[in-house]
Amino acid sequence: MTLSGAILISEVGPRDGLQSVKSIMSTADKCRWIDALVAAGVQEIEVGSFVPAHLLPQLADTAAVLRHGLTHRGVTIMALVPNLRGAQAALEAGAQKLTIPVSASAPHSLANVRKTREAMVEEVHAIARLRDAMAPGVKIEAGIATAFGCTIQGEVAEDDVIWLASQCIAAGADESGLSDTTGMANPAQVRRLFTRLRAAIGAKAGAAHLHNTRGLGLANCLAAYDVGVTTFDASLGGLGGCPYAPGASGNVVTEDLVFMFEAMGVNTGIDIEKLMAARAPLQAGLPGEVLYGMTPEAGLPKNWHPSIRT
Ligand code: ZN
């Protein structure tokens, strides 16, 4: 797929956002939300997670949502898979890209997936082999979780993060990105780690998945952009947590991220007015859920000129 923008904004709200809210959005509402995102020019959407329904009932309909997403052209429909079983289900449903969370913190890995980091690398290897057999065109991303800090062990050694990303690439992942799962990253750390990641795995360095837990989401995205990152995960309305409350885990707000880049003249390929309009179907599907975002609240500046479109 050719990118219509200089950077790729990957919308993770239907997965990361929804997994953090208690209420369940109906399949039809999810599909309307995805349609609105596609209409705005969003080119990659993580539509859900292939985990047992009892663990995340909000995402139990991921296969159906994924199949709906596939009716659109020009957008990559991806899904999170924590293990081989999930990967098989995702590939059977037709997922175009898989993302596997691999935790750099040993205790977080055990708590989250009940596997050691080394066992997760083995899982990446098994998923890559399954992909080769079932759907060779499907890309696999290993997202290094807790790359910037962990709520269980605190600091995570940068050497561990880079070691794990390199192991995942050696095991067959096509790219490896870094995730601020716990919202602990700062811009200096983001610059340092993504620079080291690129030095270790070159063009296979993947997305910046940054949260806005402590209000540093945009600053961290800009820091990543400055050291060459071109894919950014974000969530419409910052769904999944309050950016201003302790313990919240909201993703970077897609609307604010697109505004920042477009205002800088960096083409995202996304029409920000249509993007903000996509909040309506999201809100309709989750009545009562608070949506965040400074740009939607303030509106676009007078004489707003988005970056030149190609
Ligand atoms: Zn996240």
Side-chain angles (χ1 to χ4, degrees):
M1 195 180 110
T2 355
L3 203 59
S4 78
I7 57 168
L8 176 67
I9 306 284
S10 183
E11 171 65 40
V12 300
R15 194 280 300 171
D16 205 341
L18 287 180
Q19 83 171 40
S20 313
V21 303
K22 285 197 180 70
S23 33
I24 293 182
M25 194 174 183
S26 78
T27 308
D29 283 324
K30 288 184 189 179
C31 294
R32 273 191 282 274
W33 176 23
I34 287 166
D35 294 346
L37 290 168
V38 174
V42 175
Q43 292 160 75
E44 186 172 282
I45 306 176
E46 196 171 314
V47 295
S49 185
F50 283 88
V51 295
H54 71 272
L55 291 180
L56 284 177
Q58 303 94 313
L59 303 181
D61 61 352
T62 293
V65 177
L66 194 153
R67 280 191 290 269
H68 175 79
L70 294 175
T71 63
H72 293 289
R73 290 284 160 268
V75 55
T76 301
I77 302 297
M78 63 188 294
L80 183 142
V81 298
N83 51 37
L84 186 62
R85 195 190 172 107
Q88 171 134 19
L91 292 172
E92 279 166 0
Q96 294 168 322
K97 185 173 174 183
L98 306 181
T99 182
I100 311 167
V102 184
S103 194
S105 150
H108 183 270
S109 187
L110 287 174
N112 203 36
V113 290
R114 279 176 288 163
K115 283 195 181 79
T116 63
R117 297 174 299 178
E118 290 80 1
M120 273 309 290
V121 171
E122 280 306 308
E123 203 73 21
V124 170
H125 184 59
I127 291 171
R129 278 188 307 184
L130 181 73
R131 179 276 315 270
D132 293 345
M134 278 181 77
V138 170
K139 293 273 179 272
I140 296 174
E141 167 192 66
I144 307 301
T146 63
F148 301 92
C150 167
T151 45
I152 307 170
Q153 79 169 37
E155 204 174 308
V156 175
E158 293 183 1
D159 286 349
D160 283 14
V161 175
I162 302 305
W163 162 79
L164 191 57
S166 305
Q167 291 288 303
C168 289
I169 295 300
D174 299 289
E175 55 189 79
S176 184
L178 303 180
S179 300
D180 185 19
T181 317
T182 55
M184 291 161 80
N186 68 70
Q189 188 186 20
V190 167
R191 279 173 188 278
R192 211 162 52 231
L193 263 173
F194 273 102
T195 301
R196 283 193 62 180
L197 183 69
R198 187 163 300 273
I201 62 174
K204 293 189 170 182
H209 178 101
L210 301 165
H211 284 216
N212 200 35
T213 314
R214 290 175 174 82
L216 298 187
L218 285 184
N220 287 336
C221 285
L222 188 58
Y225 174 77
D226 283 345
V227 294
V229 173
T230 54
T231 301
F232 299 86
D233 291 357
S235 177
L236 197 78
L239 190 68
C242 169
Y244 315 114
S249 60
N251 286 98
V252 171
V253 176
T254 311
E255 301 90 310
D256 292 338
L257 187 65
V258 169
F259 175 75
M260 179 183 80
F261 280 126
E262 291 283 331
M264 290 169 62
V266 179
N267 189 0
T268 63
I270 294 173
D271 180 322
I272 193 164
E273 285 171 88
K274 288 183 183 167
L275 184 69
M276 292 198 287
R279 289 163 73 94
L282 169 58
Q283 189 75 80
L286 284 177
E289 200 65 43
V290 179
L291 300 186
Y292 297 94
M294 311 296 259
T295 307
E297 224 167 273
L300 292 171
K302 194 175 178 184
N303 300 329
W304 162 255
H305 294 291
S307 73
I308 308 298
R309 307 218 170 276
T310 50

